[in-house]
Amino acid sequence: CGFKLRGEYLLAPELKTLYLSSQDIHGELTRTVKQHLKVNQVNVLESPQQDKPELRILKDELNRRTLSVFANGQVAEYELIYTVKYQLVFAGQAPRDFSFDLYRDYQDDPDLALAKSRELSLMLKEMRRSAADRILRDMATITR
Amino acid sequence: AETSTPAESPVPQCLPPVYPRLAPGYAAADGQTVKIVADHTSLIKNQMAKFSGDVTLINQEHRIKADELEVNRESESFNAKGNIHFQNNMVNVFAGTLDASDATETTQLTSTSYQLVNTPGKGEAGAIIVSKDGELSMLDSTYTACLGEIPDWQIKASAINISVEENYVEAYHARLRLFGVPVFYLPYFNYPVTSERKSGLLEPQFSSSGSSGVEVAIPFYWNIAENLDATITPRYMSKRGTQLLTEFRYLQDLQSGQINLEYLNKDDELNANNDPRYLVRYQHTGTFSDRFRAYIDYTTISDDNYLVDIGSDEYKANDAYLYQVGELSYFGENWQTTFKLQDFEVLGDHVQSYKTLPQIEIESNQPLPFLNGQFEVYSELTRFETPNKEQPKANRYHVEAGFTFPLTSPAWFLNSELKMLQTYYQQEDIPDNAVFEETVSRTLPKVRFHGGINFDRDLKAFGKGFTQTFEPQLQYLYIPDKDQSDIAVYDTARLQDDYNGLFRDRRYSGLDRIAHANQVSWGVTSRILDPSHQERFRASLGGIVYLNDSNFAADDTLGIAANKSALAADLFYRINHQWQLSADIQYNTTTDVTDKSQVNLDYQFNKNQLIQLNHRYSRNVSGSTLEQISLLGSTAIDKNWTFVGRVTQDLQQNRSIESYAGLEYESCCWRVRFVYQRQINTNIDEQDFINENRDEFNSGFMIKFQKGFGGQGSTVGRQDMFNSSIFGYKRPYFLNN
Amino acid sequence: AKADFEQRIKIDSDRQAADLKNKIASYLDNVKITQGSLVINADIVQVFGEKDSDVKVYLAKGNPATFEQLLDDGNMINLQADEIRYEPGKNMITISGHALLRQQDSQVSGSRITYNTLTEQLSAESDKNERVTTILEPEIKDKNKDQN
């Protein structure tokens, strides 16, 4: 049926080495992205270099929106909206801005508040991993 | 499900007319020297000068153009007649007469109209005095930032003083007129001209609601210092009395925070009790050295129904619990630790939640030289406390250590994980009938292999080159069986089986239950990417095949029953710029029943015209079934008026949950919103609900001035209207790390 | 000052010419007219006599022609222009063409300025492309104070 193994998912050659920066260098998203880049054979520099592109993680934000309510009116389900804004700066070019949202449904339960907050941090970790994957997939589509 | 938020149209700005510089060809002489250009000049004894014919007086501060000008050098004064145009770097004034004295450096103009420079403020005045430092004081004058013959809003006042330098507009005996109709009187009114932070009144808000009657709130902003400010808002409620809302904010290099206090001394609406009703919230975020982070968010409330009856900006009326958390974390090179105190104030007759006093997490991972491997250690020490006598307290020590090998290439990926999980409990105050032990130790290995292959192919459709992907995934998870009935449940609950949850290594949140697993999760995703690699279509289907029968078929109410096997699917299809469909479903193959489903259909006529239909069904959300359908519509009636409507119907109880209609008028100089909202009242406890005769629904009407009278304002608009309904975005979480 | 106008008018120049029929005397090159503190310098001066009176009109042209005089209050007044027309009989001076009048702490420039030496009143007009520009210095007040 015409399917073949994906060959050229690889990044454009100039993106094989880049410097990763962020307002909050210890932020969880930045660390997840760094690890994801390394696993995908990208050489992440420790300090910026003139001719090498820079990936800047600008912001990550988690918002929630009520999706449904219980019979007594209290919130039953939320939609978690994880927004990521980042920039890709090629040497000598103006920075290009990117932004995307990831959505997850999350059922709340007032009787299990603590367990539900543990679930929330687990989902946040998962959303950060898919955000890192999404950044890499976006970068793979960028031609110089 | 992907719900697209419509793009926000740019906010129209009131562009003040720009008056070109008078007598542009002539430079001002320096110092106090005055240069006057005219068609005809006469000078008597170097004292009395008369000028006529397109006369322009030029000095350092201002330029005056008039038909005639007379200068008396003896008394250092001059006056002008006919088509007078006074111009300085702050204002252009057109006047009938002008008298000025250099000695007192004031210029007085009568029967004037003025236009501020580079802010849209303008108006007329019986008389204007321009003083030395450029301050304008105007007698029986008007001020507006709107264009057009009849300005949308205009302030008429016996005296208005404007100082652009000290950035304030001050009005005495001010009458606010909307579309030419006087609506509001204020003896004194002080307002910032530019957007710079300046103490003064902010826009008043008028609203009415079933629960509180007619409400008027007038916020006063107090700019205490450049890193301290406060907003004090007396909020009068006809049914309840006057509440005082104060928000105090501080910023100290890397530490910032705010305290919100909402206080109502006596609620006239309640007949059962008249103690004060309040909400206090303290938030603080801070970084110390580069590696430390701190975060506090503590809220307490006078009674469970506070949010429903009085409402607050901090929490929504239907929120079920308030956060009380304090966290301090340190980030090392490849390890981090967090010290956390967490509690919740649960509203309504729910089981009181466990507190973690404290919870200490330590995480580290060391890269291994081979196979991209990592040696990961996650450990956690937690002290669980509860005021509830029938529940035990406990110390829990947990360590999860092992290796992960993430291997990735464009065509495939394989993540393998070998971990050991060791947990040790010390449980106290165990109720007599419980089977919990005082000390329990649990050791469990975990083996996980999660792999996937990526196939692509080109696809010709609608004459364009698309790429279709086919991404099958498989995961094997093994965790041996272990009876854990001797451990109480502190922070554990069943996780959802949606598509994203299929490839997790756990089926419960928290650590008190580690499910026996000998299961294979499979999943297939296919995407269609358009030429610019935007995802136009995505369908995923997956499920879990349990090779073992679950060891936790027990207690369903605690939400920890594991069902046999789940089938999950989701779909996203952006048909074209207008139509977008997204749906997901969780289907239980053993009981042949849909656990959860959602369908979302968006139709966007154009940038500011859209309809969104949404249907949700959840079979079991902590014991009850939910089914809802909602319709959201937004349309721009003309360039100023926007309408947003939303109706949500609960199909289980078959009643409306919320109907919301928002009409917003926006012109360049202000934005006002008329909102009608009818939403379900959260009935927290039956008994209290009845004797306080709270009705089932709370409906209300609101007028909200959005944009500042100074002409600047937030670019919120329609998105904010989406947010202000029950189902809007409400509370951003603080992401500490 | 007023005393100047009783004084005799003296004219020096490199060359002279006369047109007796029309009673016009012309003086050329480095012409200097003095009358007490009043001094006119110009390249050409023509003196027109009236038929049956000894009233004369002096027409000076120069590049520019200049006029200066000491006023009663002790300040100087200077005029300069392409053409200066002095009519002592009417105490009138009319200057035109890049006309500029400077007196203590004020200055007027325009296409044509007329100045009455008796009433010390000047008036200036401009034609299309050149406007009358007046500059008034603030110091005038202090000087008067010291004097009277």
Side-chain angles (χ1 to χ4, degrees):
Chain A
C1 53
F3 276 109
K4 48 184 175 16
L5 280 177
R6 178 174 306 164
E8 36 55 49
Y9 169 91
L10 297 178
L11 302 175
E14 347 35 310
L15 284 172
K16 290 302 280 176
T17 315
L18 54 81
Y19 170 64
L20 174 65
S21 71
S22 137
Q23 253 123 357
D24 172 8
I25 197 61
H26 298 297
E28 175 95 10
L29 176 63
T30 313
R31 283 211 313 280
T32 315
V33 168
K34 181 181 243 179
Q35 214 214 335
H36 203 63
L37 289 170
K38 284 187 174 150
V39 157
N40 280 276
Q41 294 92 30
V42 173
N43 168 16
V44 182
L45 303 168
E46 283 317 311
S47 59
Q49 262 180 21
Q50 259 313 335
D51 55 350
K52 287 289 180 280
E54 179 183 347
L55 171 62
R56 284 192 197 133
I57 309 287
L58 298 180
K59 188 177 90 158
D60 72 327
E61 194 182 67
L62 183 64
N63 258 301
R64 78 176 178 189
R65 191 168 73 81
T66 311
L67 279 180
S68 63
V69 292
F70 285 117
N72 73 354
Q74 281 186 324
V75 182
E77 291 169 302
Y78 288 113
E79 177 176 61
L80 295 175
I81 305 114
Y82 184 61
T83 311
V84 174
K85 286 194 169 53
Y86 66 98
Q87 254 180 5
L88 243 180
V89 189
F90 285 97
Q93 278 186 22
R96 295 189 216 178
D97 284 288
F98 299 88
S99 154
F100 57 84
D101 292 336
L102 296 178
Y103 301 90
R104 291 286 186 284
D105 285 5
Y106 161 69
Q107 279 176 351
D108 205 350
D109 185 342
D111 292 333
L112 301 161
L114 188 57
K116 283 296 170 181
S117 90
R118 296 302 300 259
E119 177 178 352
L120 183 65
S121 21
L122 174 69
M123 289 177 78
L124 181 56
K125 215 188 256 295
E126 284 170 359
M127 287 213 262
R128 282 184 165 139
R129 265 203 296 275
S130 34
D133 183 51
R134 170 71 184 269
I135 292 175
L136 207 72
R137 260 207 324 243
D138 285 354
M139 277 163 58
T141 65
I142 294 166
T143 48
R144 186 56 191 268
Chain B
E2 229 89 1
T3 46
S4 67
T5 44
E8 197 51 49
S9 56
V11 175
Q13 290 294 340
C14 292
L15 299 176
V18 177
Y19 293 100
R21 200 155 136 79
L22 295 175
Y26 295 85
D30 42 32
Q32 295 298 325
T33 307
V34 175
K35 177 187 287 187
I36 300 159
V37 178
D39 289 348
H40 174 75
T41 304
S42 79
L43 182 60
I44 304 158
K45 282 201 174 358
N46 209 356
Q47 290 303 329
M48 285 297 298
K50 285 198 177 62
F51 304 86
S52 62
D54 194 7
V55 183
T56 309
L57 178 141
I58 300 162
N59 69 18
Q60 285 291 342
E61 288 86 29
H62 52 249
R63 293 184 174 219
I64 301 173
K65 183 169 183 299
D67 295 346
E68 285 168 31
L69 189 75
E70 252 176 42
V71 177
N72 178 332
R73 304 190 68 193
E74 185 60 33
S75 64
E76 275 209 26
S77 65
F78 60 88
N79 65 67
K81 289 191 195 56
N83 300 320
I84 298 169
H85 177 183
F86 170 92
Q87 177 182 73
N88 65 17
N89 52 24
M90 240 201 356
V91 71
N92 281 281
V93 181
F94 303 90
T97 68
L98 178 142
D99 298 279
S101 127
D102 285 347
T104 60
E105 289 184 53
T106 59
T107 310
Q108 179 157 5
L109 304 99
T110 62
S111 61
T112 68
S113 75
Y114 66 92
Q115 165 71 56
L116 294 180
V117 171
N118 59 42
T119 75
K122 67 174 177 163
E124 283 96 28
I128 293 185
I129 298 149
V130 185
S131 62
K132 186 153 38 21
D133 47 22
E135 195 191 288
L136 299 176
S137 42
M138 311 191 289
L139 305 179
D140 78 60
S141 53
T142 67
Y143 174 85
T144 178
C146 303
L147 306 181
E149 251 327 287
I150 304 186
D152 296 352
W153 62 262
Q154 183 186 54
I155 297 171
K156 241 184 184 341
S158 60
I160 294 184
N161 303 332
I162 300 180
S163 160
V164 178
E165 223 151 84
E166 278 142 34
N167 176 18
Y168 70 83
V169 174
E170 195 183 42
Y172 294 87
H173 306 306
R175 281 102 56 206
L176 175 65
R177 299 163 70 90
L178 294 185
F179 303 100
V181 175
V183 289
F184 197 66
Y185 170 80
L186 267 177
Y188 173 77
F189 178 70
N190 159 320
Y191 203 75
V193 177
T194 61
S195 55
E196 216 189 288
R197 282 180 358 172
K198 181 79 187 62
S199 300
L201 290 171
L202 302 179
E203 300 84 16
Q205 180 175 335
F206 310 95
S207 58
S208 83
S209 69
S211 58
S212 303
V214 176
E215 290 176 41
V216 180
I218 305 176
F220 177 78
Y221 176 76
W222 177 22
N223 182 12
I224 306 163
E226 96 284 331
N227 59 356
L228 294 175
D229 67 21
T231 310
I232 300 142
T233 312
R235 174 184 176 210
Y236 164 74
M237 296 177 273
S238 62
K239 284 189 177 173
R240 296 186 183 278
T242 303
Q243 182 188 30
L244 189 65
L245 313 171
T246 53
E247 177 175 287
F248 173 77
R249 294 188 309 177
Y250 59 88
L251 176 70
Q252 193 60 34
D253 45 66
L254 294 173
Q255 312 288 330
S256 70
Q258 76 181 50
I259 300 164
N260 291 73
L261 172 63
E262 298 172 4
Y263 185 81
L264 176 65
N265 197 5
K266 183 185 172 321
D267 188 338
D268 309 337
E269 185 67 3
L270 289 189
N271 29 42
N273 76 46
N274 42 35
D275 336 334
R277 303 186 76 180
Y278 59 83
L279 178 141
V280 181
R281 183 180 185 188
Y282 174 57
Q283 292 169 75
H284 175 87
T285 58
T287 45
F288 304 91
S289 77
D290 182 20
R291 290 180 180 278
F292 272 97
R293 294 277 185 291
Y295 157 59
I296 298 169
D297 182 357
Y298 184 89
T299 309
T300 182
I301 208 166
S302 57
D303 57 288
D304 287 0
N305 282 304
Y306 177 89
L307 289 176
V308 176
D309 293 347
I310 299 171
S312 155
D313 286 343
E314 302 310 315
Y315 277 89
K316 275 203 156 185
N318 51 27
D319 278 336
Y321 47 83
L322 313 177
Y323 288 93
Q324 296 177 338
V325 64
E327 214 173 279
L328 179 68
S329 29
Y330 173 80
F331 300 96
E333 221 11 71
N334 35 39
W335 69 282
Q336 70 179 46
T337 176
T338 309
F339 176 90
K340 186 176 194 180
L341 303 171
Q342 173 135 39
D343 187 10
F344 302 88
E345 179 152 347
V346 184
L347 305 177
D349 56 3
H350 294 291
V351 172
Q352 184 51 18
S353 156
Y354 269 104
K355 310 178 202 289
T356 59
L357 303 170
Q359 172 183 333
I360 303 169
E361 286 171 319
I362 303 166
E363 230 180 297
S364 89
N365 46 50
Q366 312 295 347
L368 298 173
F370 52 92
L371 288 174
N372 265 335
Q374 296 250 27
F375 176 69
E376 287 168 356
V377 177
Y378 170 78
S379 63
E380 187 186 309
L381 300 87
T382 318
R383 166 69 186 167
F384 292 101
E385 301 241 346
T386 175
N388 186 338
K389 287 295 160 286
E390 306 86 34
Q391 288 181 311
K393 298 186 178 54
N395 295 338
R396 180 177 69 192
Y397 309 94
H398 175 78
V399 176
E400 185 173 336
F403 303 95
T404 60
F405 300 100
L407 302 171
T408 314
S409 87
W412 54 272
F413 71 90
L414 176 65
N415 300 334
S416 22
E417 207 179 311
L418 310 158
K419 291 265 176 79
M420 275 307 288
L421 289 82
Q422 164 59 38
T423 323
Y424 179 73
Y425 284 86
Q426 289 164 337
Q427 303 185 98
E428 310 147 16
D429 307 341
I430 299 172
D432 327 342
N433 49 24
V435 294
F436 308 137
E437 296 296 330
E438 269 171 20
T439 60
V440 177
S441 166
R442 178 186 61 192
T443 313
L444 285 169
K446 174 167 72 173
V447 175
R448 178 164 167 252
F449 298 102
H450 176 205
I453 307 170
N454 304 326
F455 296 98
D456 289 346
R457 72 173 174 179
D458 294 336
L459 190 69
K460 276 279 166 295
F462 318 109
K464 282 191 265 162
F466 290 82
T467 344
Q468 183 178 13
T469 75
F470 181 72
E471 299 156 32
Q473 291 185 54
L474 212 58
Q475 169 178 295
Y476 174 69
L477 174 66
Y478 173 74
I479 301 174
D481 186 7
K482 177 97 174 49
D483 171 27
Q484 294 162 53
S485 54
D486 49 7
I487 305 173
V489 172
Y490 302 97
D491 66 353
T492 294
R494 184 80 179 77
L495 294 170
Q496 280 193 80
D497 279 344
D498 58 8
Y499 185 77
N500 302 300
L502 297 178
F503 301 97
R504 282 196 186 114
D505 63 355
R506 65 195 64 200
R507 287 174 51 210
Y508 300 106
S509 68
L511 295 164
D512 304 328
R513 286 296 180 276
I514 298 178
H516 166 45
N518 180 8
Q519 62 194 44
V520 174
S521 313
W522 60 275
V524 170
T525 301
S526 175
R527 298 173 218 269
I528 297 181
L529 308 171
D530 66 18
S532 62
H533 277 279
Q534 289 296 331
E535 199 175 70
R536 292 294 291 278
F537 174 86
R538 180 192 68 238
S540 315
L541 177 65
I544 304 179
V545 176
Y546 302 105
L547 310 178
N548 63 304
D549 44 20
S550 148
N551 54 0
F552 295 121
D555 192 340
D556 194 17
T557 51
L558 266 178
I560 58 168
N563 45 32
K564 266 308 263 164
S565 107
L567 199 61
D570 79 46
L571 171 82
F572 168 74
Y573 182 21
R574 192 153 60 80
I575 303 154
N576 50 35
H577 288 308
Q578 279 84 17
W579 289 98
Q580 181 175 309
L581 171 71
S582 63
D584 57 73
I585 186 166
Q586 287 166 34
Y587 184 78
N588 187 323
T589 48
T590 42
T591 54
D592 283 337
V593 137
T594 304
D595 279 343
K596 191 161 178 295
S597 76
Q598 174 179 216
V599 180
N600 215 316
L601 188 65
D602 279 47
Y603 180 69
Q604 191 142 6
F605 301 87
N606 51 44
K607 201 161 63 57
N608 33 37
Q609 223 104 347
L610 75 88
I611 285 187
Q612 206 173 71
L613 185 67
N614 173 290
H615 173 270
R616 307 190 50 79
Y617 169 79
S618 303
R619 184 179 60 78
N620 176 2
V621 180
S622 56
S624 47
T625 302
L626 302 171
E627 188 172 7
Q628 255 181 218
I629 187 161
S630 83
L631 180 68
L632 166 93
S634 129
T635 172
I637 299 163
D638 67 13
K639 70 176 174 47
N640 294 102
W641 290 94
T642 309
F643 170 77
V644 165
R646 180 200 293 270
V647 174
T648 308
Q649 185 74 13
D650 177 342
L651 300 178
Q652 286 293 325
Q653 323 284 331
N654 60 51
R655 58 177 183 179
S656 127
I657 295 176
E658 181 198 49
S659 37
Y660 172 97
L663 199 60
E664 186 163 88
Y665 171 83
E666 179 183 10
S667 76
C668 62
C669 61
W670 71 315
R671 184 187 306 131
V672 66
R673 180 183 307 156
F674 308 92
V675 167
Y676 171 75
Q677 185 168 12
R678 180 172 180 278
Q679 67 196 37
I680 191 158
N681 247 337
T682 311
N683 159 7
I684 291 187
D685 51 49
E686 208 49 41
Q687 194 37 39
D688 187 36
F689 203 80
I690 295 161
N691 56 36
E692 289 299 351
N693 59 53
R694 289 187 179 81
D695 45 38
E696 202 192 352
F697 279 89
N698 174 18
S699 55
F701 186 77
M702 184 172 75
I703 304 178
K704 199 157 188 289
F705 295 101
Q706 288 298 99
K707 207 184 268 194
F709 288 135
Q712 1 63 354
S714 60
T715 59
V716 179
R718 185 179 47 197
Q719 186 52 43
D720 183 48
M721 277 209 271
F722 286 138
N723 292 354
S724 59
S725 82
I726 266 190
F727 298 99
Y729 294 89
K730 183 50 202 163
R731 227 176 74 73
Y733 288 88
F734 172 73
L735 298 185
N736 182 9
N737 45 23
Chain C
K2 289 199 183 42
D4 291 346
F5 300 109
E6 279 87 25
Q7 307 263 344
R8 204 173 50 72
I9 296 176
K10 194 159 83 46
I11 304 177
D12 307 324
S13 73
D14 296 356
R15 287 189 292 123
Q16 283 187 344
D19 168 354
L20 295 177
K21 188 163 72 57
N22 302 322
K23 293 183 76 173
I24 300 169
S26 309
Y27 301 83
L28 303 132
D29 306 342
N30 300 322
V31 183
K32 180 171 185 184
I33 307 173
T34 51
Q35 184 184 24
S37 72
L38 185 156
V39 174
I40 297 179
N41 284 310
D43 300 343
I44 307 164
V45 170
Q46 289 173 310
V47 183
F48 300 84
E50 291 300 320
K51 265 191 234 37
D52 46 16
S53 81
D54 60 0
V55 168
K56 293 200 172 41
V57 173
Y58 298 83
L59 187 62
K61 291 194 174 80
N63 204 348
T66 64
F67 167 100
E68 64 183 36
Q69 184 182 26
L70 199 57
L71 298 177
D72 295 347
D73 59 15
N75 297 321
M76 281 298 286
I77 182 165
N78 308 77
L79 290 85
Q80 68 178 51
D82 301 346
E83 184 190 284
I84 295 183
R85 179 185 178 81
Y86 176 43
E87 298 170 75
K90 296 185 201 145
N91 302 310
M92 286 299 290
I93 302 169
T94 310
I95 62 175
S96 51
H98 308 99
L100 171 64
L101 178 145
R102 278 200 308 275
Q103 48 186 333
Q104 195 261 336
D105 301 329
S106 77
Q107 173 187 317
V108 179
S109 62
S111 4
R112 216 160 65 80
I113 302 180
T114 58
Y115 176 69
N116 181 316
T117 52
L118 211 56
T119 61
E120 288 181 22
Q121 180 173 351
L122 72 89
S123 92
E125 270 83 34
S126 73
D127 56 19
K128 283 179 300 319
N129 43 33
E130 193 185 356
R131 308 214 52 207
V132 177
T133 307
T134 310
I135 297 190
L136 307 174
E137 304 279 346
E139 291 82 6
I140 179 91
K141 193 153 50 63
D142 326 336
K143 197 150 279 159
N144 286 4
K145 265 204 223 63
D146 334 334
Q147 264 185 339
N148 45 28

